[in-house]
Amino acid sequence: MPEAKRRGYYGEFGGRFVPETLVAALDELESCFLRVRGDVAFRRELAKLLRDFGGRPTPLYLAENLTRRWKGARIYLKREDLNHTGAHKINNTIGQVLLARRLGKTRIVAETGAGQHGTATAAVCAMMGLRCVVYMGSHDIHRQQPNVLRMRYLGAEVREVNAGLATLKEATSEAIRDWVTNVATTHYIIGSTVGPHPYPAIVREFQSVIGRETRSQIRRVARRLPDYVIACIGGGSNALGIFSSFLGDQTVKLIGVESAGKGLRPGQHAAALAKGTPGILHGTRSYVLQDSDGQISLTTTISAGLDYPGVGPQHAHFKKTGRVAYRTVPDRDAVAAFHELCANEGIIPALESSFALAYARRLARRTKPKQIIVVNLSGRGDKDMQSVLEYERQTR
């Protein structure tokens, strides 16, 4: 195996930039992950929990009303919003809790932005009987109250983080500090394809079930592969999950959609791939929103789950190689797409997913009726209704 790949690099991106105290824990985690990938008993238990606890497989839904309105390609939605706890996050959380049990860890820490990863972690820990601490920025606690209540009802301790912008970046930093302090008993469940090696590979592996199901389902109903697969990008876990089964199919165009927030001026967006530069954040090298001195820049977006100044290193590599196209959508278009799906398909999408929907709408008008667009509907939007209401009050 090439040296760069062994260390978790994707081209020039990825790697492991951590304090020495974490190296042994990351080595132990990598060894355990490599062992269980081929372990039949582990795979069987994971598949059973994904089915019976998580609710998989999720449907691939033909959105006929949107297809008629947009007058272009057929629009299919991969319904990750129908997973237990309301998002794709449960796929990774189940897998990582099983890993933690193999490692003999009795305590779990996690970070969360929109609350979907925190809720999924709390639910699996409750089911497995593990102590759970979730770090969350106070700004996100304010805009994602329903998920804060869910986490607490599920037995998790939600620790409020007030540093900096009090969003996902600061919550992640605090979760890492906790892990460094308690590494002997604690496993850190990262919620996206970010962080030091081997986390990006682990999260992609557990989320790849989305792509495998989608590939099988679209071939069954359409008897061919889609022309486009679209997903929103914060850290990038739902996107890598669904893209993973189509990377070798050059006829399938893969599109990741970042939040342009209020516009692509400095501090007004969360588009690390569009406007970032290579740098190191939370233990990995990727595209990062930073100034000329390497200080992390401010981010702005209506979506708590996309409010992160970096992105997974595999996405950085795909941008460099051109295998995936990355686009941006402003908040106003995402909110319009949120309303359009609610009113026309009876589905309330997460704001994160609404960015992908908004780009699909833009793209559909340039496509033909025989073409197919698949959008990964990464989560449900009950948690976001207050945020949408506040946004519309402020922008009237």
Side-chain angles (χ1 to χ4, degrees):
M1 183 181 293
E3 183 71 4
K5 189 172 182 181
R6 189 183 70 79
R7 292 179 178 172
Y9 276 88
Y10 307 92
E12 66 181 90
F13 302 104
R16 181 188 290 179
F17 301 85
V18 296
E20 200 170 328
T21 49
L22 284 182
V23 170
L26 289 167
D27 284 344
E28 181 188 33
L29 177 61
E30 182 182 18
S31 297
C32 184
F33 172 61
L34 293 175
R35 277 199 310 277
V36 302
R37 285 183 76 181
D39 185 311
V40 174
F42 181 91
R43 306 298 302 185
R44 189 181 298 129
E45 184 174 16
L46 175 62
K48 181 176 186 298
L49 287 173
L50 287 173
R51 183 190 67 223
D52 298 343
F53 187 74
R56 304 206 72 86
T58 57
L60 183 69
Y61 170 72
L62 174 59
E64 295 187 60
N65 296 330
L66 284 190
T67 299
R68 277 194 294 273
R69 281 175 65 85
W70 293 352
K71 299 178 180 174
R74 279 173 287 163
I75 309 297
Y76 285 88
L77 305 176
K78 180 58 175 167
R79 298 291 308 276
E80 290 299 292
D81 59 310
L82 294 179
N83 276 310
H84 177 42
T85 69
H88 71 293
K89 296 293 187 182
I90 194 83
N91 307 324
N92 168 56
T93 301
I94 290 174
Q96 286 211 46
V97 167
L98 292 179
L99 271 181
R101 203 172 61 180
R102 291 286 183 108
L103 291 165
K105 309 291 185 180
T106 56
R107 180 175 179 269
I108 299 294
V109 295
E111 85 296 329
T112 197
Q116 291 171 314
H117 173 56
T119 302
T121 304
V124 181
C125 285
M127 185 263 290
M128 294 279 194
L130 295 173
R131 186 181 167 200
C132 178
V133 176
V134 179
Y135 288 87
M136 189 170 190
S138 54
H139 181 56
D140 291 337
I141 284 178
H142 170 72
R143 57 180 170 174
Q144 299 290 343
Q145 270 297 313
N147 274 338
V148 176
L149 288 175
R150 287 188 189 102
M151 285 185 273
R152 288 177 172 152
Y153 289 153
L154 290 165
E157 178 187 350
V158 181
R159 292 188 182 175
E160 183 172 340
V161 179
N162 292 304
L165 290 176
T167 59
L168 182 57
K169 177 176 77 70
E170 289 78 19
T172 303
S173 298
E174 286 303 315
I176 291 173
R177 287 192 190 97
D178 184 316
W179 186 36
V180 171
T181 306
N182 302 289
V183 70
T185 60
T186 300
H187 175 61
Y188 174 27
I189 299 185
I190 291 182
S192 194
T193 50
V194 299
H197 176 69
Y199 276 108
I202 289 174
V203 178
R204 171 181 160 169
E205 172 75 15
F206 291 138
Q207 293 294 359
S208 64
V209 65
I210 307 171
R212 291 196 300 276
E213 284 181 11
T214 303
R215 186 182 180 91
S216 171
Q217 289 167 327
I218 196 68
R219 291 186 75 165
R220 187 165 63 246
V221 299
R223 300 191 180 282
R224 69 180 183 89
L225 296 178
D227 298 283
Y228 301 91
V229 178
I230 303 175
C232 64
I233 303 271
S237 66
N238 89 93
L240 273 183
I242 195 165
F243 291 168
S244 60
S245 286
F246 300 99
L247 290 169
D249 302 298
Q250 296 301 320
T251 58
V252 181
K253 297 178 178 61
L254 306 176
I255 301 172
V257 184
E258 296 185 294
S259 171
K262 296 178 180 177
L264 290 175
R265 300 174 299 281
Q268 297 295 298
H269 60 85
L273 286 161
K275 292 296 181 179
T277 53
I280 294 170
L281 178 64
H282 294 140
T284 194
R285 177 178 166 81
S286 186
Y287 281 96
V288 178
L289 293 171
Q290 57 189 332
D291 64 20
S292 57
D293 294 323
Q295 297 299 308
I296 301 303
S297 304
L298 301 177
T299 51
T300 300
T301 171
I302 189 175
S303 166
L306 304 185
D307 203 347
Y308 187 68
V311 66
Q314 293 169 76
H315 286 295
H317 178 59
F318 290 143
K319 170 186 165 76
K320 195 95 175 182
T321 61
R323 177 61 191 98
V324 180
Y326 294 95
R327 301 289 183 261
T328 62
V329 161
D331 286 350
R332 64 176 180 278
D333 289 0
V335 170
F338 171 92
H339 283 299
E340 193 166 12
L341 192 67
C342 291
N344 291 282
E345 295 289 353
I347 299 170
I348 302 175
L351 275 173
E352 290 80 10
S353 314
S354 300
F355 284 83
L357 282 167
Y359 188 79
R361 182 178 192 270
R362 193 187 299 172
L363 174 68
R365 295 183 171 178
R366 305 198 302 266
T367 59
K368 298 173 182 174
K370 287 186 178 179
Q371 292 185 293
I372 294 173
I373 297 175
V374 173
V375 180
N376 194 18
L377 201 66
S378 57
R380 72 183 186 218
D382 313 47
K383 66 186 179 59
D384 293 318
M385 291 189 289
Q386 190 62 35
S387 294
V388 172
L389 192 61
E390 287 182 15
Y391 173 84
E392 290 173 337
R393 279 182 186 149
Q394 292 170 6
T395 54
R396 263 180 210 148

